[in-house]
Amino acid sequence: MRQRSFSRAFYELISSMRFAVSLLTVLGIASIIGTVLKQNEPYNNYLNQFGPYWFPIFEELGLYAVYNSAWFLVILAFLVLSTSACIVRQTRPMLKDMRSFREHAKEASLAAFQHHERLHTALPTDSASQKIQAYLAANGFQSRTGAREDGVLLAAKQGSWTRVGYFLAHSAIVLICIGGLLDGNLPLKIQMALGGKTTTSGNQLISDIKPESRLGLDNWSFRGNVFIPEGKSANVAILNVKDGILLQDLPFTVSLRKFHLEHYSTGMPKRFASDILITDKASGKSVEKTIEVNKPFEFDGIMMYQASFEDGGSRLHLVGHDLRTGGRAPFQTDATVGEAIKLKQDGLDYTLELGSFRPFNIENMANEEPAETSTVARLEKHLGSGARSVSKKDLRNVGPSFEYRLRDSSGQAREYQNYMLPIEQDGAWYMLAGMRETPAAPFRFMRIPMDQDGKPDSWFVIRGALLDKSRHAEIASRFTATALGAETDETVRGRLRETTRKTLELFAIGGFESLGKFIESTVPPAERDKAADVFIKILEGSAWEAWKLARSTAGLPAVELDQKNGRLLRDTLNATSDSLHYGAPVYFQLSSFEEVRATVLQVTRSPGKPVVYFGSLLLVLGVFAMLYIRERRLFVLIKHNGDALVALSANRKSMDVEEAFQRHRKAIAALLDPAATPPAQS
Amino acid sequence: MDIAHSGTPSPLRRVGIGDGLFALALALAAGFALSQYGDFMDIYDKAILAAVVPALAAIGWAWKPFRGFLAAAAALAVLSISLYGGDLARAEQAFFLKYLISSQTAIMWMSALFFIATGAYWIGLAARSDFAEKTGSALTWSAVTMGTTGLLVRWYESYLIGTDVGHIPISNLYEVFVLFSLITGLLYLYYEGHYATRRMGAFVLLVISAAVAFLLWYTFSREAQEIQPLIPALQSYWMKVHVPANFIGYGAFALAAMIGVADLLVRKGILASRLPPAEVLDDVMYKAIAIGFAFFTIATILGALWAAEAWGTYWQWDPKETWAFIVWLNYAAWLHIRLTKGLRGPMLAWWAVIGLVVTAFAFVGVNMFLSGLHSYGSL
């Protein structure tokens, strides 16, 4: 007995409006959590973000995948339970209410309606009743007549379908939740718990993955990715689960013929499309198809979507420039994106990990314009067509680039980003060589100047001489000879020679930074600018001498010291100074490439989709029926003694109820007593 | 005596010659658009165009002034398109384009007119001036006309940039802010006519003015007005149905919140003699939330259908999706309380006002603070 009253109370509670509204609120708040914390990131990111103390606690709370966590599913389960209980609880009274006309309502209860009025009838009950019935029918009411001793009660109603709306909308919620559950990761969780499936790290070859991490063809609900490079094929999908993966066998093999990647002139992506060939394993039949974003394709009950694309192992041909003093001549090496190669010769011990390759880069090369100050001028610029760009743009393709990591023997790595082609900056051309020490930092670029032949070679030559200690003495004496000309005093010459040698020595250690430190420690503040000027002049002169010397040694024609070459020397010094902080013994130049793309297709089997869609349809129908079909009940009591009563009730209070009542009251009063009331205007 | 017609029949029965002509004009316009631009449409686009005809005709039947507005906006757009003559540079040369009906200029006019209308409504409220309120009304009508013209012309301009660039101008935050202002404005004008009072304009126009202020900031500081091509995920006919449905929802919720503010003031006795009675405000608030909820439901479902096609899953708890869900839950709870409990009064008004905060976060906040798939306009 006690048991029963408890379950009764529980039923009362979960089917109550209070509970439903609280549940909606709780669900809303719970949902917010997953939008604040990025979901389904690699676990390492969370570990970095929260530290070793909080990381496992948050993991236990399911915060990294809130919408798949047990507690969130429990809330949803309660929503289903509560909504179902509501439906069950309301069904019988509602159906009864829908069917009933209440033609036996008491006069007193009609008189208690908010919208009622006593009228007078001048007609015999029968004819009055007929007229009113005709009126009710014409106004879209269904009516029933209840005869009584003192007269007749016409009970009419319309809009009962709004009650059906209630069932539709609430069943829809249940259907959508159930369908969503089928397509969520609950089926996967169950297979892992009951079927003994475990995730694997994903660092091994697909053929090495054990059966307990493979899901068979009988799996009826999954969502995974298939990675296929151009010219290759795949027959398994990878499912990311927590911090590991599972393999899903597919009943077919997908080959990627070609991946189309198109861009607008602004560099924005325009089209991603995969030309694929699907071969069914069982029947051997093949289908050719192009899958695009927004144009998925279904095969064997599995939907395939264009999810993303990656590099499929592009082949880059690189030229390595040894940056070490006395290093070897430029050498060639080939590398594949996504792979690592060992650089182990001539004292080098590095691993080159080629990370990515971009076949083009669109950059805005326009110079910043001064902002328009007057309001009218600014407004004027914003009038006209929406096609016009207000700020000046000069979009240019600056060519391919690639990124790689260079790891030394102790495992330390820096990241590099190099462009294939020289880029124009401030009127001169440079090779840009970017470097960063941590992945989070932006790249810092070394600008290697291009010489009159459009090559970076001069820079390597001058740099080599400036940083080579054994050549400093010769450069110093040549510079002294050029700078002093006819000056014969050996002490003066000797002093300049020594200063130059010392300057070069300092510069070779840490570039401008070492010189700056030297000036700060030896020169009084007032004279530092002047000293710096002197050092720069010495360096520029030395660079010039080094260049001339190198050219004559190589048998190249002499160069003029014009404005262009002057700038080249200054740029050379800057880049040389930067190169001392480059952190790599080799600069890699991209000489040519063969791009290979790969597509990533998402493959899903979602059995809940039709359920959810059907639920959605019911939801829309239900919501509109509930909100826009108005239920009205109109009662007209006609008594033999000439008294009459009209009353109107509605399932909801709103202003149009009163308006409708007045309309019907006037019309009915006129029908019952045509003489007393002027006929209503038609 | 014909008793059948003595009551006020349903609006659809009040169809006159004007309505017939309106429907005919819509059908002709759609046919013309089909013949002129059919090559740029796929079968779904054509189906949507066909469905728009009865939808607009029904709105015109139920709400007569809508017909004049649509005719005016369409006429201005056609004039603008003919002045362009297929050459974007004409926007700088033709006086009418440069200063009146090129897309940017028309949207600037819309902005200015909304601001002045707001002022007019407030003067009307403060001075109890019927004339000022009528002026506010006329200005609001002009503003929505100019804004609609602006969007229609922008649509055309996008195709002049390149046929591969052209698309309906509801694809980024800038464009939908214009859409939001228009829809909120139109919804307000409908209620203004339906309840025969212009007193609510002062409040509703405030939220439109706020949206317009944002729009101007976005234009002048961020150059967001420039037409951008569509990324692959957005290249779909679904955009034409999902986005407008969503903004009927957002617009209606924003309107309901402003009515909620007025309602709270009236209940406290502030401006009570100047504003409509609380009972009327309550009714408008309910009607707005009801229509907003219905369309927001449709929009969310359409979004799910689109997501299934573009991203491979109809629901994946992307921040925008989740916040749409939260907005939906919020108004679902509001309607439950009001309809089932029959609750009225300040509590629901407060709730509607707070609902705007939730809605605004879902609309703009998600783009500003959270990252996800739906990042089509950043600040």
Side-chain angles (χ1 to χ4, degrees):
Chain A
M1 196 65 214
R2 224 184 113 70
Q3 193 58 42
R4 242 190 107 185
S5 71
F6 172 76
S7 54
R8 182 83 217 156
F10 180 72
Y11 175 68
E12 294 278 331
L13 174 70
I14 62 161
S15 62
S16 73
M17 173 63 52
R18 244 176 332 135
F19 190 77
V21 170
S22 317
L23 209 53
L24 294 182
T25 316
V26 170
L27 193 55
I29 292 167
S31 304
I32 295 177
I33 300 172
T35 67
V36 176
L37 180 61
K38 266 191 127 183
Q39 300 286 292
N40 301 313
E41 293 273 290
Y43 272 29
N44 260 338
N45 294 10
Y46 295 121
L47 189 58
N48 289 338
Q49 194 177 347
F50 301 119
Y53 181 76
W54 288 108
F55 172 76
I57 297 176
F58 287 169
E59 187 188 358
E60 207 54 45
L61 289 173
L63 295 191
Y64 309 139
V66 168
Y67 308 107
N68 288 320
S69 69
W71 60 267
F72 194 81
L73 293 181
V74 167
I75 301 179
L76 280 181
F78 264 102
L79 185 72
V80 172
L81 202 64
S82 154
T83 315
S84 311
C86 267
I87 298 172
V88 170
R89 192 179 175 178
Q90 305 282 355
T91 306
R92 200 141 10 121
M94 270 204 180
L95 282 177
K96 215 175 132 195
D97 207 48
M98 261 182 87
R99 278 197 232 112
S100 123
F101 280 84
R102 298 189 204 146
E103 67 269 28
H104 303 297
K106 297 261 180 333
E107 186 178 348
S109 68
L110 294 179
F113 278 19
Q114 189 195 343
H115 305 285
H116 78 276
E117 190 148 314
R118 291 194 182 277
L119 301 171
H120 174 73
T121 172
L123 304 171
T125 313
D126 277 354
S127 67
S129 167
Q130 273 168 19
K131 277 196 170 184
I132 301 299
Q133 278 183 42
Y135 172 82
L136 291 171
N139 279 275
F141 282 94
Q142 284 181 294
S143 65
R144 223 12 104 81
T145 315
R148 49 213 288 161
E149 274 174 26
D150 57 348
V152 64
L153 175 65
L154 299 175
K157 67 184 174 67
Q158 65 178 190
S160 294
W161 284 98
T162 188
R163 308 279 177 146
V164 175
Y166 170 88
F167 293 113
L168 293 181
H170 287 79
S171 334
I173 300 296
V174 176
L175 281 178
I176 290 171
C177 286
I178 290 172
L181 222 52
L182 292 179
D183 290 346
N185 78 345
L186 199 62
L188 189 67
K189 275 186 175 170
I190 292 170
Q191 289 189 55
M192 287 176 75
L194 302 179
K197 299 288 180 190
T198 50
T199 60
T200 179
S201 68
N203 288 332
Q204 67 257 65
L205 287 171
I206 283 179
S207 52
D208 293 346
I209 290 178
K210 299 211 171 64
E212 60 260 33
S213 298
R214 276 179 175 262
L215 300 168
L217 297 177
D218 53 347
N219 186 12
W220 47 274
S221 172
F222 63 82
R223 177 178 310 287
N225 286 324
V226 185
F227 171 88
I228 323 163
E230 278 175 335
K232 301 267 169 61
S233 55
N235 56 12
V236 285
I238 291 167
L239 278 60
N240 289 308
V241 184
K242 287 193 167 176
D243 54 346
I245 62 155
L246 284 173
L247 277 195
Q248 170 67 53
D249 287 324
L250 299 174
F252 49 76
T253 304
V254 195
S255 320
L256 179 64
R257 291 274 173 84
K258 186 169 171 50
F259 184 75
H260 302 273
L261 177 59
E262 290 167 26
H263 291 84
Y264 297 103
S265 58
T266 58
M268 257 175 76
K270 178 173 163 186
R271 179 168 178 252
F272 307 132
S274 306
D275 293 343
I276 56 165
L277 175 78
I278 309 170
T279 312
D280 189 56
K281 279 182 191 165
S283 66
K285 268 191 214 157
S286 297
V287 183
E288 265 188 87
K289 189 75 196 172
T290 300
I291 294 183
E292 287 185 56
V293 179
N294 273 312
K295 286 173 191 159
F297 176 60
E298 186 177 348
F299 191 84
D300 256 2
I302 295 176
M303 284 297 269
M304 279 174 274
Y305 303 89
Q306 182 65 58
S308 63
F309 66 94
E310 282 175 27
D311 194 289
S314 296
R315 196 98 182 114
L316 306 191
H317 306 290
L318 305 172
V319 176
H321 294 272
D322 201 328
L323 295 174
R324 295 169 304 169
T325 300
R328 61 166 166 155
F331 60 97
Q332 297 205 339
T333 188
D334 290 351
T336 306
V337 172
E339 290 177 11
I341 51 167
K342 287 269 177 218
L343 297 169
K344 211 167 182 180
Q345 63 266 69
D346 302 317
L348 285 174
D349 186 7
Y350 281 88
T351 313
L352 186 153
E353 301 165 12
L354 192 54
S356 66
F357 167 71
R358 287 171 63 91
F360 70 92
N361 290 278
I362 306 282
E363 303 283 344
N364 185 7
M365 310 294 276
N367 295 321
E368 288 279 322
E369 276 176 294
E372 207 60 69
T373 43
S374 99
T375 317
V376 177
R378 284 188 68 192
L379 180 65
E380 182 98 27
K381 281 184 98 172
H382 286 88
L383 299 181
S385 84
R388 192 164 68 123
S389 72
V390 173
S391 51
K392 209 173 93 189
K393 278 201 191 122
D394 180 12
L395 297 176
R396 271 190 242 168
N397 179 5
V398 297
S401 68
F402 63 109
E403 282 182 30
Y404 59 96
R405 245 188 248 122
L406 213 52
R407 198 175 289 282
D408 65 19
S409 52
S410 65
Q412 295 296 311
R414 286 187 185 203
E415 284 182 42
Y416 296 90
Q417 183 190 45
N418 291 350
Y419 286 83
M420 183 183 188
L421 303 172
I423 292 167
E424 190 183 11
Q425 287 190 333
D426 316 321
W429 293 82
Y430 305 91
M431 296 295 289
L432 292 189
M435 184 276 290
R436 63 182 174 194
E437 277 150 79
T438 58
F443 279 105
R444 283 179 291 146
F445 285 93
M446 172 164 86
R447 303 197 301 176
I448 301 174
M450 309 302 283
D451 57 24
Q452 69 274 32
D453 303 328
K455 288 183 176 165
D457 299 2
S458 299
W459 180 74
F460 288 107
V461 168
I462 302 171
R463 178 184 176 278
L466 288 176
L467 300 183
D468 186 354
K469 224 174 154 185
S470 65
R471 287 151 86 176
H472 285 173
E474 193 187 352
I475 297 172
S477 56
R478 279 174 176 263
F479 170 68
T480 308
T482 313
L484 295 180
E487 172 69 56
T488 48
D489 187 345
E490 193 45 44
T491 31
V492 177
R493 297 183 85 92
R495 213 187 297 140
L496 181 59
R497 217 167 24 233
E498 186 48 26
T499 310
T500 307
R501 202 193 54 74
K502 178 86 181 145
T503 308
L504 288 171
E505 193 180 294
L506 273 169
F507 185 73
I509 294 168
F512 290 123
E513 205 181 303
S514 340
L515 278 173
K517 277 188 191 143
F518 175 75
I519 293 173
E520 269 177 36
S521 60
T522 55
V523 182
E527 288 165 41
R528 280 181 191 165
D529 282 352
K530 222 171 118 190
D533 274 350
V534 171
F535 281 124
I536 301 276
K537 285 221 173 70
I538 290 174
L539 281 174
E540 282 176 11
S542 302
W544 173 236
E545 294 302 327
W547 194 16
K548 277 196 296 190
L549 179 64
R551 288 187 73 87
S552 69
T553 319
L556 294 168
V559 278
E560 287 284 314
L561 184 54
D562 52 13
Q563 208 182 344
K564 219 173 153 190
N565 284 333
R567 173 156 179 190
L568 179 78
L569 288 177
R570 282 191 297 279
D571 287 336
T572 296
L573 285 173
N574 288 332
T576 304
S577 175
D578 288 344
S579 75
L580 293 166
H581 308 283
Y582 189 56
V586 182
Y587 162 75
F588 286 102
Q589 199 182 349
L590 176 60
S591 62
S592 63
F593 60 86
E594 290 114 43
E595 193 192 10
V596 180
R597 294 173 184 145
T599 188
V600 180
L601 300 179
Q602 186 183 134
V603 292
T604 65
R605 193 174 261 170
S606 38
K609 197 157 108 173
V611 182
V612 171
Y613 285 9
F614 181 64
S616 302
L617 178 68
L618 294 191
L619 182 63
V620 172
L621 293 176
V623 164
F624 272 88
M626 279 172 82
L627 294 175
Y628 292 105
I629 297 181
R630 298 175 187 137
E631 193 190 47
R632 300 274 159 80
R633 286 174 183 277
L634 191 57
F635 298 92
V636 185
L637 176 65
I638 306 162
K639 292 201 206 168
H640 301 310
N641 65 4
D643 283 347
L645 177 77
V646 56
L648 182 111
S649 78
N651 64 333
R652 296 191 174 132
K653 289 202 285 181
S654 75
M655 285 181 68
D656 22 283
V657 179
E658 173 64 19
E659 183 213 331
F661 173 67
Q662 291 305 338
R663 187 153 44 83
H664 293 307
R665 182 195 59 79
K666 271 186 210 149
I668 289 168
L671 287 172
L672 293 176
D673 195 359
T677 339
Q681 298 289 313
S682 82
Chain B
M1 190 173 73
D2 186 3
I3 41 177
H5 292 116
S6 57
T8 310
S10 83
L12 289 186
R13 276 197 236 157
R14 281 179 282 151
V15 176
I17 295 173
D19 296 309
L21 287 175
F22 180 62
L24 187 67
L26 283 171
L28 286 176
F32 178 72
L34 214 52
S35 71
Q36 201 75 1
Y37 305 120
D39 292 346
F40 301 110
M41 305 178 194
D42 64 17
I43 181 75
Y44 300 103
D45 292 311
K46 287 175 183 166
I48 292 167
L49 179 64
V52 161
V53 172
L56 290 178
I59 297 175
W61 285 345
W63 181 31
K64 307 299 180 196
F66 181 78
R67 299 172 305 182
F69 145 77
L70 202 62
L76 284 173
V78 168
L79 176 63
S80 177
I81 289 168
S82 66
L83 284 173
Y84 264 116
D87 179 14
L88 266 178
R90 293 276 296 154
E92 301 302 309
Q93 301 147 5
F95 178 85
F96 277 108
L97 286 181
K98 175 86 182 168
Y99 295 104
L100 208 62
I101 49 174
S102 60
S103 73
Q104 278 313 299
T105 313
I107 289 167
M108 286 292 173
W109 275 111
M110 176 201 81
S111 306
L113 288 164
F114 270 134
F115 281 143
I116 308 170
T118 312
Y121 275 120
W122 276 99
I123 292 170
L125 197 69
R128 297 179 197 266
S129 155
D130 210 30
F131 173 73
E133 281 176 346
K134 276 185 180 157
T135 310
S137 228
L139 286 167
T140 309
W141 275 113
S142 319
V144 291
T145 307
M146 285 313 270
T148 308
T149 305
L151 282 189
L152 290 173
V153 174
R154 188 178 168 91
W155 197 347
Y156 172 75
E157 286 170 356
S158 70
Y159 277 91
L160 290 186
I161 298 175
T163 48
D164 60 338
V165 174
H167 58 84
I168 185 169
I170 48 176
S171 69
N172 60 29
L173 202 56
Y174 173 84
E175 290 165 345
V176 296
F177 253 94
V178 180
L179 184 68
F180 171 82
S181 310
L182 292 180
I183 289 182
T184 314
L186 283 170
L187 281 170
Y188 164 71
L189 288 168
Y190 172 74
Y191 290 122
E192 182 181 276
H194 188 77
Y195 288 87
T197 170
R198 296 196 169 89
R199 298 288 165 82
M200 302 176 291
F203 283 88
V204 178
L205 265 282
L206 278 183
V207 77
I208 301 179
S209 285
V212 167
F214 173 85
L215 194 69
L216 293 180
W217 171 81
Y218 207 34
T219 304
F220 284 100
S221 291
R222 297 296 157 100
E223 307 293 352
Q225 81 291 346
E226 202 183 318
I227 296 171
Q228 299 290 345
L230 290 182
I231 58 166
L234 289 181
Q235 294 165 9
S236 169
Y237 63 91
W238 285 109
M239 188 161 77
K240 289 182 178 167
V241 283
H242 168 63
V243 180
N246 230 318
F247 279 85
I248 294 176
Y250 284 150
F253 295 149
L255 185 139
M258 296 319 287
I259 300 295
V261 172
D263 187 86
L264 287 169
L265 290 176
V266 167
R267 283 171 200 277
K268 283 201 157 55
I270 302 165
L271 294 175
S273 65
R274 295 162 197 266
L275 284 169
E279 197 196 4
V280 171
L281 294 171
D282 203 68
D283 212 57
V284 179
M285 193 162 66
Y286 162 71
K287 288 244 166 75
I289 285 181
I291 192 118
F293 182 76
F295 275 91
F296 199 75
T297 307
I298 293 180
T300 309
I301 290 169
L302 291 173
L305 295 176
W306 186 5
E309 230 175 83
W311 299 327
T313 163
Y314 51 83
W315 194 267
Q316 54 185 328
W317 299 100
D318 170 75
K320 196 80 169 185
E321 287 175 355
T322 309
W323 275 94
F325 177 59
I326 294 167
V327 169
W328 189 86
L329 285 177
N330 178 58
Y331 289 103
W334 193 96
L335 287 168
H336 270 95
I337 293 216
R338 153 113 190 186
L339 296 180
T340 319
K341 287 277 162 206
L343 195 80
R344 297 282 191 282
M347 195 260 211
L348 280 179
W350 273 113
W351 196 335
V353 174
I354 293 163
L356 181 60
V357 179
V358 180
T359 307
F361 191 84
F363 177 10
V364 196
V366 172
N367 295 37
M368 284 166 74
F369 303 113
L370 309 173
S371 62
L373 290 166
H374 250 97
S375 308
Y376 302 131
S378 53
L379 298 176

